[in-house]
Amino acid sequence: MRYFDHRSALKFNNLRFIFYCKNITIRKYSSKASSNHILKQKEELLHGMNRLLKKTIDFKFSIPRKNKLMIDKDLEQFLKRSNEANNLKDFDGTYLPDTFGSNQNIPIDPAIERELNLILSHFQAPIDFAFGYGSGVFKQNGYDNLKGSNKPQIDLIFGVKDPLKFHKINIYQNPDHYSSLKWCGSSVISYFQDIGAGIYFNPFVNIAGREVKYGVVSLERIVQDLCTWDSFYLAGRLQKPVKILKDNNIIKYWNQLNLKSAATVAKYLLHNDNTVKSRLDEFEFYQRIAGLSYIGDIRYTLGGENPNKVNNIVEKNFHNFQKYYGSIYEDVIFHNRDYLPLGYSLDNCLKTLRSHIQRTSILQTLKGIATAGATKSFKYAWSKKMKAWKGK
């Protein structure tokens, strides 16, 4: 079992945050035990990682002054094991190669992609990472022939370095996107954002002639969930094919491990299912992955989601799942490697996920009443209920 549990102390926006890392290890260095040449190489690798992090989301290593530190080349070894990173012979941590995580670049209809980029360009507030998802971006059963105002809502997630700054600028530019909470200021908006999964949604807003729902989340919170599955809200969403509109190397790296962990759980579930034949069924494999984020979801419990949603997602996007998990499928299934976040095991993963997802879904649902407003909340709940009825 490969746990990404080695810890590196990082600083983000003056906040202390601990990553549980599988592939970056920091150890105390003894000058008596190793040569100055090795120390120099390790320090260069450390500085290389600093440059990488600074270029992406302004993370920096926090190094105790009393201890000389060195970084193990676990990251390099991990990348070399990946089929998409065979050219990393001299990888020093200063970059991720162009081919790394190429499975995460899912192509979509060019017209839809142009529309998504047009919506993204509407925002004056800085957006550092963005992706689109759902039936407005990818085909799903039941949405094939919808046109005009009946088109499904476009769902977007924006990752930002500074949520307070984003909301301050966005409230000024797009006050109609917010509920009455906007009168309390961006600090109150940011406070509500931190509740639950750490996402603030503005649903049913009109941008460039399309109905859009967008969520705002800090980059720190995205990486935290990908590393630890502490809410599984974003990790679960990113385990299904998404369209990356604005990429980020750190998120790309951790999402690759997130996908490997999802594949590990799906493999475990199928192998423990008595109805499964000796040969693993790839369609069922992706069904299990797509269904992970709905385990314990209160919306499913209350009948607020289409009961056939998981099947609809996989059936219309089977080829996208194959691309998204191509090299990972080979690594986890054919080579029988396992990956899970720290604190998770094959024995406790379902119970732990159910607990985290249930808690997060309840908090997000209650928070939505305040953040979206009563009218939009009712409209959103009603649209979900209608989809659930149609799916029965």
Side-chain angles (χ1 to χ4, degrees), residues 38-200:
I38 296 177
L39 173 60
K40 184 177 180 181
Q41 286 184 332
K42 298 300 183 180
E43 288 179 340
E44 286 177 354
L45 182 58
L46 175 62
H47 293 312
M49 290 303 299
N50 268 323
R51 290 196 298 273
L52 168 65
L53 297 171
K54 188 175 182 180
K55 287 178 182 178
T56 51
I57 49 179
D58 290 337
F59 281 133
K60 293 181 180 179
F61 283 107
S62 178
I63 308 173
R65 294 182 179 179
K66 294 182 179 180
N67 298 324
K68 292 183 178 180
L69 305 177
M70 68 180 183
I71 294 182
D72 195 357
K73 291 190 177 181
D74 283 349
L75 173 60
E76 180 181 358
Q77 295 302 319
F78 167 74
L79 295 175
K80 282 183 177 179
R81 287 200 303 270
S82 302
N83 290 335
E84 65 270 25
N86 290 327
N87 61 335
L88 283 186
K89 183 177 180 180
D90 298 318
F91 179 72
D92 64 358
T94 59
Y95 70 100
L96 287 179
D98 293 337
T99 52
F100 179 79
S102 59
N103 55 296
Q104 298 181 37
N105 300 322
I106 304 295
I108 61 172
D109 185 287
I112 296 177
E113 186 169 0
R114 286 193 297 270
E115 194 170 27
L116 295 177
N117 286 317
L118 180 62
I119 293 171
L120 195 63
S121 67
H122 166 81
F123 292 89
Q124 296 174 5
I127 298 171
D128 304 284
F129 173 72
F131 66 87
Y133 64 97
S135 56
V137 178
F138 296 97
K139 292 182 179 180
Q140 291 183 24
N141 283 345
Y143 298 94
D144 294 339
N145 300 317
L146 297 180
K147 296 180 180 180
S149 60
N150 292 323
K151 284 184 177 181
Q153 184 174 236
I154 290 178
D155 296 303
L156 299 170
I157 295 290
F158 299 154
V160 301
K161 294 177 184 176
D162 187 347
L164 184 65
K165 179 180 179 180
F166 177 91
H167 290 301
K168 186 175 182 179
I169 297 173
N170 200 44
I171 289 173
Y172 181 80
Q173 181 196 3
N174 302 301
D176 55 314
H177 291 187
Y178 291 83
S179 68
S180 55
L181 276 180
K182 64 176 175 284
W183 303 114
C184 300
S186 56
S187 59
V188 173
I189 297 289
S190 298
Y191 172 81
F192 272 90
Q193 177 177 314
D194 286 337
I195 298 172
I199 308 177
Y200 190 100

Side-chain angles (χ1 to χ4, degrees), residues 155-284:
D155 296 303
L156 299 170
I157 295 290
F158 299 154
V160 301
K161 294 177 184 176
D162 187 347
L164 184 65
K165 179 180 179 180
F166 177 91
H167 290 301
K168 186 175 182 179
I169 297 173
N170 200 44
I171 289 173
Y172 181 80
Q173 181 196 3
N174 302 301
D176 55 314
H177 291 187
Y178 291 83
S179 68
S180 55
L181 276 180
K182 64 176 175 284
W183 303 114
C184 300
S186 56
S187 59
V188 173
I189 297 289
S190 298
Y191 172 81
F192 272 90
Q193 177 177 314
D194 286 337
I195 298 172
I199 308 177
Y200 190 100
F201 280 108
N202 283 325
F204 299 110
V205 300
N206 189 287
I207 303 175
R210 282 300 302 270
E211 195 172 70
V212 177
K213 179 185 77 174
Y214 65 91
V216 182
V217 59
S218 70
L219 294 174
E220 177 190 11
R221 198 64 178 263
I222 297 175
V223 177
Q224 179 182 343
D225 199 30
L226 292 176
C227 291
T228 66
W229 285 5
D230 65 340
S231 74
F232 206 69
Y233 199 94
L234 290 158
R237 167 48 55 194
L238 285 165
Q239 287 169 4
K240 296 180 279 290
V242 300
K243 178 58 185 176
I244 304 296
L245 302 172
K246 197 165 187 178
D247 210 349
N248 179 283
N249 276 348
I250 296 296
I251 292 176
K252 179 188 290 184
Y253 171 75
W254 285 110
N255 191 41
Q256 198 73 351
L257 286 171
N258 175 47
L259 299 181
K260 288 178 182 251
S261 297
T264 298
V265 176
K267 177 182 68 174
Y268 169 75
L269 292 176
L270 286 177
H271 284 171
N272 284 275
D273 190 340
N274 294 328
T275 63
V276 175
K277 300 177 181 179
S278 58
R279 185 176 180 276
L280 187 144
D281 184 271
E282 191 175 0
F283 186 86
E284 288 189 39

